[in-house]
């Protein structure tokens, strides 16, 4: 059961949580006061934020949004944040480019229009800045003093940077074998960075133990006890995509799956825009993208199952390497409800897709972006995605963080002496 979002006549609020009214259980619908909790006390289902969203003339709300800052706080009337959130020390992520990818469209045979939502332009070069920004505001309201997380890399950097900016202590936990670029980026902000021997699921289990210990008192784990608020940051991707398309829903969206939260919250954001009358209601299809080496949701989707069975990750797409994704069952529901699918690609296909996107559009994606572009290609070739529909593909991070994935095959064309004769001899003169 999804959290209920009401539309009220209240245009603004002085609440520190804006239009948010409660936490609601996705499974049984039980409601709880807004607080740093993440599981239902009745059925142990996951909690998410429920709202009393502003009603009235959609055009007035559109103009209010469009007059706001060029970051996620333009959508403050739809988020669990105070009205003055833009005045507080935060990284102010969002409103990243929606790139019209005509060259890639021609390469893949997409005729209905193809766009890349390129979130590598965020402050720490991944979409995680969005979710951390919302979690930080919740932590500030609850009087927490330490920001923490379990992370496959990008989130660790986003938490470290946001904490530094806002004057919080940070202590984040990562698998011991992450890409070097992500380790350095997470450490440079001066917080505590702890490597855990094991994969992400081991890290997450450790954090769950820590949060229940007296040591964790006053800590805000953005993706554990602050998870209901944290997840709402992904809705801003839906808001931005539709606004940047001229307040329209795309026909198809291809979204990477790690925990699955991003995909489910993008769908939630689209549904809110429809309910508010900000976009015209029409069918849209959501496609989930995974790496073959960590594809529990794709495996369940293809088998027609509702249960997502955990897998041990083994893929270069480490930012997606969550073998037991918390939102996996909800991803299945959304893919099936919208007429989409969940697909996966091999590591080799991921590398090919990274290079394809770079060659055609000048966008250097991290491995998660290689997954979404690779899955798009596979969906078109298999007939699962209609190339005549307008399609948006997410690139959630910067390729500079995952250089190892393409380093071996991305080398100088030639090394020559500094002379024209040597240039000609190398066959580079045209």
């Amino acid at each position: 059961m999804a959290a209920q979002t009401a539309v009220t006549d209240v245009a603004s609020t002085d609440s520190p949580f804006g239009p948010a009214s409660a936490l609601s259980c996705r499974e049984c619908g039980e409601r709880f006061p807004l607080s740093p909790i993440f599981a239902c006390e009745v059925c142990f289902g996951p909690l998410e934020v429920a709202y009393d969203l502003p009603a009235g003339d959609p055009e007035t709300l559109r103009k209010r949004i469009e007059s706001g800052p060029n970051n996620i706080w333009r959508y403050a009337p739809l988020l669990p944040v105070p009205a003055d959130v833009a005045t507080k020390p935060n990284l102010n992520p969002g409103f990243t480019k929606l790139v019209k990818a005509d060259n890639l469209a021609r390469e893949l045979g997409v005729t209905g229009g193809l766009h890349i939502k390129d979130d590598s332009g965020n402050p720490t070069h991944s979409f995680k800045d969005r979710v951390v920004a919302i979690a930080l505001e919740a932590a500030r309201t609850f009087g927490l003093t330490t920001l923490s997380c379990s992370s496959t890399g990008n989130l660790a950097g986003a938490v470290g940077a946001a904490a530094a900016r806002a004057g919080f202590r940070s202590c984040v936990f990562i698998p011991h074998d992450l890409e070097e670029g992500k380790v350095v980026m997470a450490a440079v902000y001066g917080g505590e960075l702890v490597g855990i021997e094991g994969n992400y699921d081991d890290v997450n289990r450790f954090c769950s133990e820590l949060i229940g210990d007296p040591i964790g008192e006053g800590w805000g784990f953005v993706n554990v006890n602050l998870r209901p608020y944290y997840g709402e940051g992904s809705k801003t991707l839906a808001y931005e995509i539709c606004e940047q398309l001229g307040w329209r829903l795309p026909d198809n969206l291809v979204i990477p799956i790690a925990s699955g939260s991003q995909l489910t919250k993008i769908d939630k954001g689209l549904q809110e825009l429809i309910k508010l009358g900000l976009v015209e209601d029409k069918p849209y299809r959501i496609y989930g993208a995974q790496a073959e080496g960590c594809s529990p949701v794709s495996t369940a989707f293809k088998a027609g199952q509702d249960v997502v069975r955990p897998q041990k990750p083994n893929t270069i797409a480490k930012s997606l390497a969550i073998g037991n994704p918390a939102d996996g069952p909800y991803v299945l529901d959304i893919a099936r409800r919208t007429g989409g699918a969940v697909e996966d690609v091999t590591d080799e296909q991921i590398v090919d897709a990274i290079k394809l996107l770079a060659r055609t559009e000048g966008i250097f994606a991290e491995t998660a972006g290689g997954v979404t572009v690779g899955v798009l290609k596979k969906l078109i070739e298999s007939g699962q995605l209609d190339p005549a529909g307008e399609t948006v593909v997410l690139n959630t991070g910067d390729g500079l963080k995952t250089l190892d994935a393409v380093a071996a095959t991305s080398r100088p064309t030639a090394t020559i002496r500094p002379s024209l004769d040597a240039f000609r001899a190398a066959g580079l003169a045209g």
Side-chain angles (χ1 to χ4, degrees):
M1 180 183 295
Q4 297 300 307
T5 298
V7 180
T8 75
D9 291 328
V10 180
S12 63
T13 175
D14 293 329
S15 165
F17 293 104
S21 57
L23 296 179
S24 178
C25 178
R26 282 192 193 173
E27 292 298 324
C28 72
E30 189 73 21
R31 291 167 74 92
F32 301 89
L34 294 161
S35 57
I37 59 174
F38 62 98
C40 176
E41 297 175 3
V42 176
C43 72
F44 303 107
L47 300 179
E48 67 175 356
V49 178
Y51 295 87
D52 292 325
L53 292 176
D57 176 30
E59 189 58 33
T60 300
L61 181 55
R62 277 196 207 97
K63 289 179 179 177
R64 180 180 175 188
I65 289 170
E66 291 168 352
S67 66
N70 287 329
N71 54 54
I72 61 172
W73 305 133
R74 69 200 284 114
Y75 306 109
L78 312 180
L79 296 170
V81 295
D84 65 347
V85 62
T87 68
K88 300 184 178 184
N90 203 299
L91 292 180
N92 301 328
F95 221 66
T96 54
K97 293 180 180 179
L98 184 69
V99 179
K100 196 166 187 299
D102 291 341
N103 296 330
L104 181 60
R106 283 192 293 271
E107 189 96 7
L108 299 181
V110 176
T111 58
L114 177 62
H115 303 265
I116 307 295
K117 180 58 173 169
D118 186 11
D119 244 24
S120 66
N122 277 311
T124 69
H125 308 287
S126 91
F127 92 95
K128 291 295 187 180
D129 290 321
R130 298 174 181 271
V131 292
V132 170
I134 307 292
L136 171 62
E137 292 310 312
R140 209 191 309 263
T141 298
F142 294 135
L144 303 176
T145 56
T146 298
L147 279 190
S148 186
C149 68
S150 53
S151 173
T152 56
N154 283 326
L155 181 58
V159 167
R165 169 76 176 128
F168 279 67
R169 175 194 178 217
S170 69
C171 182
V172 300
F173 301 89
I174 59 174
H176 70 286
D177 60 348
L178 283 187
E179 302 98 333
E180 185 67 12
K182 290 180 180 176
V183 173
V184 172
M185 189 169 191
V188 76
Y189 300 109
E192 293 168 274
L193 177 67
V194 182
I196 300 292
E197 295 177 358
N199 59 31
Y200 173 80
D201 295 305
D202 298 316
V203 179
N204 208 30
R205 279 192 293 272
F206 169 78
C207 288
S208 296
E209 293 179 18
L210 181 57
I211 200 171
D213 190 274
I215 296 174
E217 185 175 351
W219 287 39
F221 285 81
V222 300
N223 53 348
V224 187
N225 61 335
L226 297 177
R227 187 175 182 84
Y229 313 94
Y230 160 95
E232 296 299 285
S234 289
K235 293 194 312 181
T236 60
L237 281 160
Y239 300 157
E240 288 178 21
I241 287 168
C242 290
E243 182 181 352
Q244 290 168 323
L245 288 175
W247 294 105
R248 290 186 294 107
L249 292 167
D251 297 308
N252 309 305
L253 295 102
V254 184
I255 303 168
I257 299 170
S259 70
S261 175
Q262 182 187 73
L263 186 149
T264 63
K265 292 303 186 291
I266 288 176
D267 179 65
K268 182 180 181 182
L270 297 177
Q271 290 296 312
E272 288 175 353
L273 292 179
I274 292 169
K275 186 172 292 187
L276 288 165
L278 293 173
V279 297
E280 182 181 350
D281 190 4
K282 71 163 194 173
Y284 59 86
R285 292 180 174 84
I286 289 183
Y287 297 86
Q290 293 201 290
E292 185 181 274
C294 185
S295 54
V297 187
S298 173
T299 299
F301 180 85
K302 293 175 182 178
Q305 297 171 345
D306 296 325
V307 176
V308 177
R309 301 187 185 281
Q311 295 181 358
K312 185 175 181 179
N314 182 23
T315 173
I316 61 171
K318 293 183 179 180
S319 63
L320 304 183
I322 297 180
N324 188 18
D327 283 83
Y330 304 107
V331 170
L332 293 174
D333 291 343
I334 290 167
R336 289 165 178 157
R337 170 174 58 79
T338 65
V342 185
E343 188 55 270
D344 56 77
V345 285
T346 66
D347 283 359
E348 182 180 1
Q349 290 170 320
I350 293 168
V351 172
D352 289 344
I354 292 171
K355 296 172 77 170
L356 173 63
L357 180 60
R359 173 172 60 80
T360 56
E361 299 298 340
I363 297 173
F364 184 18
E366 74 163 5
T367 47
V371 170
T372 52
V373 173
V375 163
L376 170 65
K377 183 174 185 291
K378 190 171 181 180
L379 290 168
I380 293 170
E381 291 172 347
S382 64
Q384 296 180 80
L385 185 147
D386 181 4
E390 185 172 43
T391 300
V392 175
V393 176
L394 269 65
N395 172 44
T396 52
D398 195 322
L400 292 174
K401 295 186 177 186
T402 56
L403 289 172
D404 287 352
V406 294
T409 55
S410 300
R411 310 303 302 168
T413 305
T415 301
I416 63 171
R417 299 187 309 279
S419 73
L420 291 175
D421 287 343
F423 184 71
R424 292 188 183 97
L428 302 173

